Amino acid sequence: MESAKRKKPKTQRADRAVWLTAALDVLRERGIDGIKIVPLANRLGLTSGSFYWHFKNVQDLLDSVLDHWEHHLTDHIVRDAQDFDGSPQDRILNLMLQVIREDAAVPDHAISVWAKSDATAHLTYLRTVQKRFDFAKWMFEQAGFAPEDASARGRLMVTSLMGESSNDLKSVDGWEEIVRTQWRVLIAQ
């Protein structure tokens, strides 16, 4: 007799990005203690063997999550802004919209909580946020602000984007106009 409940068939492998995304989701939902191989595999409908195709162990996954957060979710935004072919003011707006559109800052709060109990996460968090502050300052300097004002505006922009992402701004109707209004305030002389 067939069981009334059928388990979702498990596939053999998924790419590394699928595991990283799932780990970031669990980190946001349950914290660092929620990241475990078998529950992640079950969540994805995969076997744990798929996990070991990409990672040596949970620590390797956690190190990869930090690397992904720093380099994919931060550095590529910086590169895109550096390559932006428009006015310095429009560069700032473009970066703000991109961060929200791509959910680049969504994991920030979970990473910050993790950083309170893990030395590697702490150093990565500090380095990444400082990188954001430094780049934001540079953008505001390019827009004509004195270094002290550029630093203050840059920090406000970065922390605002981090907070708005944590509060799921992208799910709000008209979120782009909210970002444009914040941008107008930040670039006002």
Side-chain angles (χ1 to χ4, degrees):
M1 179 191 229
E2 280 187 52
S3 171
K5 290 184 179 180
R6 287 192 173 173
K7 284 191 171 185
K8 183 177 172 182
K10 293 188 178 190
T11 57
Q12 292 299 319
R13 274 195 326 194
D15 69 17
R16 186 176 174 87
V18 169
W19 287 98
L20 291 171
T21 300
L24 281 167
D25 289 344
V26 170
L27 181 66
R28 283 194 321 273
E29 294 164 9
R30 296 187 202 121
I32 194 66
D33 293 334
I35 299 180
K36 296 180 180 4
I37 298 168
V38 173
L40 269 175
N42 289 338
R43 178 184 183 120
L44 294 170
L46 299 169
T47 64
S48 58
S50 172
F51 173 87
Y52 290 108
W53 183 262
H54 300 290
F55 306 98
K56 292 181 270 187
N57 51 38
V58 172
Q59 188 58 53
D60 187 28
L61 171 64
L62 296 177
D63 292 343
S64 297
V65 163
L66 289 172
D67 183 72
H68 177 77
W69 176 70
E70 179 176 8
H71 297 293
H72 178 73
L73 298 179
T74 295
D75 289 352
H76 99 275
I77 299 280
V78 169
R79 279 190 305 277
D80 288 352
Q82 289 168 331
D83 294 343
F84 182 76
D85 189 29
S87 73
Q89 293 82 0
D90 287 344
R91 174 188 288 126
I92 294 166
L93 174 61
N94 191 64
L95 178 139
M96 292 174 73
L97 291 168
Q98 183 181 5
V99 166
I100 300 298
R101 186 180 310 107
E102 295 182 11
D103 294 328
V106 167
D108 291 359
H109 178 70
I111 301 281
S112 74
V113 171
W114 176 18
K116 292 178 185 349
S117 63
D118 181 274
T120 302
H122 180 73
L123 291 174
T124 303
Y125 181 80
L126 292 177
R127 180 179 59 244
T128 302
V129 172
Q130 189 60 53
K131 188 185 307 185
R132 293 175 184 183
F133 287 155
D134 292 345
F135 185 71
K137 177 185 177 192
W138 175 83
M139 287 196 310
F140 281 97
E141 287 176 336
Q142 295 299 301
F145 293 96
E148 187 175 299
D149 288 346
S151 179
R153 289 169 192 264
R155 291 178 77 87
L156 285 168
M157 181 191 74
V158 169
T159 56
S160 173
L161 289 169
M162 291 170 76
E164 293 288 22
S165 293
S166 292
N167 289 320
D168 199 21
L169 175 64
K170 194 167 92 172
S171 69
V172 175
D173 287 337
W175 70 265
E176 290 172 322
E177 190 52 41
I178 293 169
V179 171
R180 283 185 174 83
T181 300
Q182 293 170 344
W183 167 74
R184 283 191 293 274
V185 169
L186 286 168
I187 64 164
Q189 294 287 342

